[in-house]
């Protein structure tokens, strides 16, 4: 296999299928002991969509914030 004009290579189909690499899959390149390692990038969590999700549940328990709950759980 050769590197193309723009620095691109094709990952063989068997490897893409085995590791779940699709069209929009993000990958990372790392150098390990003088070798180049390609690995699937970890998924990024969209934590903004979870903001306030448990607010009502904590309010029913008598807490004004998650921080207050954590303080109680930790015994502070």
């Amino acid at each position: 296999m050769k590197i193309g004009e723009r620095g691109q290579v094709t990952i063989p189909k068997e490897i893409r299928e085995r590791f779940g690499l699709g069209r929009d899959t993000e990958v990372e390149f790392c150098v390990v002991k003088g070798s180049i390692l390609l690995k699937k990038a970890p998924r990024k969590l969209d934590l903004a969509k979870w903001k306030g999700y448990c607010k009502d549940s904590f309010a029913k328990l008598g807490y004004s914030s998650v921080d207050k709950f954590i303080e109680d759980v930790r015994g502070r």
Side-chain angles (χ1 to χ4, degrees):
M1 185 176 304
K2 292 184 181 180
I3 296 176
E5 223 177 278
R6 298 185 328 189
Q8 297 173 322
V9 295
T10 300
I11 301 169
K13 183 178 180 181
E14 300 81 32
I15 294 174
R16 292 193 317 263
E17 288 176 349
R18 179 176 174 185
F19 292 97
L21 301 173
R23 179 184 181 123
D24 293 323
T25 303
E26 292 189 22
V27 296
E28 298 175 346
F29 291 91
C30 306
V31 177
V32 179
K33 297 181 182 179
S35 295
I36 301 167
L37 175 70
L38 170 75
K39 65 180 188 174
K40 201 173 185 179
R43 285 179 148 175
K44 294 180 178 121
L45 294 176
D46 181 13
L47 297 178
K49 73 177 184 180
W50 296 98
K51 184 177 181 179
Y53 189 77
C54 296
K55 185 178 181 179
D56 293 337
S57 298
F58 281 108
K60 287 178 185 176
L61 294 171
Y63 294 101
S64 58
S65 72
V66 175
D67 293 330
K68 298 284 185 197
F69 172 77
I70 292 173
E71 287 174 8
D72 276 0
V73 170
R74 291 181 177 164
R76 294 183 182 168

